[in-house]
Amino acid sequence: MDDVFRALADPTRRNLLDELFRQDGQTLSALERRLPMTRFGVMKHLRLLEEAGLVVSRRRGREKLHFLNPVPIRLVHDRWVSKYAEPWAATLSELKHKLEEKTMEKVYEIYIKTTPERLWKAITDAEMRRKYNFGAVVTSDWTPGSRYEGVGGGTPIFEGENLEIDPPRRLVQSFRALWGEDVKSEGPSRVTWEIEPVGDSCRLTVTHDQLREDANAQLFGGWPMILSGLKTLLETGETLTTPGSLRFSQAPQDEGRRQGQGADQPTA
């Protein structure tokens, strides 16, 4: 318990715990980006939190993920918190349990012969995006915390918030599907676009995570067609007419709404 109090005494370590409470299972690099300190400093604080049992790390391939462990804090609660405060603590415990429910992620990678600036524009420009994203018109002011919306056939088909904006390298967005009741019930997930220059080309990695385990495949099934269409557009100027790629641009509003519930779905 002494180790717990020593770890909690430092505001930087409390900030790290806050970040893990907000989003569990983060890498060292992700945590480093959120704190105004060196990578070595973050590592030092994480080590002290692990020694106190407040953070647990697990390996996933080459990555080391960090998770908030509420057990030591619960022990403090059991020693000093009265029964009258128990409902409050129980609520937080339930929240932690929900955050730790199993989730899955999907990762897609493609090489495109273009510049980071052109690729960023293709992702954020409404007219360019429409040509490879199932005809959906995606609009936003592209600032951190701003909202974005995808409309097809006059009907909103997905929406979310721009969580991180770092042009022309990284875009992180929440994502909520709207094209059918079956996907609406899945709730929000997250999409991360990462652009890395490689010679005269770019490597684009799209990670769709925070998906419920066994989530409806419509949420992520459209990514291969979207990214193939994006590559074709930037490298040739042509539109790749894969099945369903022009669905919403060609269908009238009511038909677009009806078809939006089919198997070939738009994603982010």
Side-chain angles (χ1 to χ4, degrees):
M1 199 164 288
D2 289 343
D3 290 340
V4 172
F5 282 114
R6 277 194 291 269
L8 293 175
D10 185 272
T12 299
R13 291 194 283 274
R14 292 196 298 271
N15 286 339
L16 280 168
L17 294 177
D18 287 340
E19 286 295 331
L20 292 176
F21 181 78
R22 184 185 61 83
Q23 179 189 328
D24 222 348
Q26 296 191 56
T27 63
L28 173 61
S29 296
L31 291 168
E32 179 188 356
R33 285 193 294 269
R34 292 173 168 81
L35 293 173
M37 61 190 313
T38 65
R39 184 180 184 88
F40 177 79
V42 176
M43 291 175 61
K44 178 181 177 181
H45 285 295
L46 282 173
R47 184 174 65 252
L48 291 171
L49 288 169
E50 288 187 60
E51 291 173 355
L54 292 165
V55 168
V56 176
S57 61
R58 292 180 181 174
R59 287 278 180 186
R60 189 190 63 188
R62 295 183 177 181
E63 291 185 320
K64 183 179 181 181
L65 303 182
H66 300 85
F67 297 85
L68 174 63
N69 178 27
V71 173
I73 297 176
R74 178 71 195 200
L75 293 176
V76 173
H77 159 274
D78 290 343
R79 181 168 178 176
W80 284 295
V81 177
S82 74
K83 63 181 181 181
Y84 301 105
E86 175 65 26
W88 176 81
T91 299
L92 291 181
S93 178
E94 181 181 355
L95 175 60
K96 172 64 178 173
H97 176 73
K98 289 181 179 179
L99 289 173
E100 289 182 338
E101 289 179 353
K102 289 184 178 180
T103 60
M104 67 175 181
E105 67 180 52
K106 298 291 182 178
V107 180
Y108 306 89
E109 183 178 272
I110 192 168
Y111 287 82
I112 304 174
K113 191 171 184 179
T114 188
T115 64
E117 291 76 17
R118 287 188 68 227
L119 181 49
W120 181 268
K121 181 178 180 181
I123 294 169
T124 57
D125 181 84
E127 177 58 23
M128 293 186 72
R129 182 80 171 260
R130 179 187 64 79
K131 293 178 180 178
Y132 64 86
N133 202 153
F134 296 92
V137 178
V138 181
T139 56
S140 175
D141 65 11
W142 304 110
T143 57
S146 64
R147 183 175 178 272
Y148 75 93
E149 181 182 52
V151 175
T155 302
I157 53 178
F158 56 81
E159 65 180 8
E161 179 184 344
N162 296 308
L163 305 175
E164 295 181 36
I165 304 277
D166 183 17
R169 291 183 292 271
R170 178 179 169 87
L171 172 64
V172 183
Q173 302 174 296
S174 63
F175 173 75
R176 182 169 178 263
L178 304 174
W179 60 79
E181 294 303 320
D182 49 352
V183 292
K184 284 183 182 179
S185 64
E186 293 285 349
S189 53
R190 183 179 63 179
V191 174
T192 301
W193 307 72
E194 295 177 291
I195 300 171
E196 181 183 351
V198 180
D200 62 353
S201 303
C202 289
R203 177 169 58 208
L204 173 63
T205 304
V206 173
T207 303
H208 196 162
D209 62 359
Q210 297 184 358
L211 292 157
R212 181 183 60 82
E213 190 176 39
D214 299 324
N216 193 316
Q218 294 181 43
L219 294 178
F220 50 85
W223 279 116
M225 281 188 290
I226 290 172
L227 298 181
S228 296
L230 172 58
K231 177 179 175 68
T232 300
L233 178 65
L234 286 175
E235 291 185 346
T236 70
E238 300 294 326
T239 300
L240 183 64
T241 53
T242 54
S245 61
L246 301 179
R247 178 186 302 275
F248 289 100
S249 62
Q250 294 179 341
Q253 180 171 339
D254 290 342
E255 182 68 5
R257 183 184 298 110
R258 183 186 66 79
Q259 291 185 4
Q261 298 177 4
D264 200 8
Q265 297 302 330
T267 307

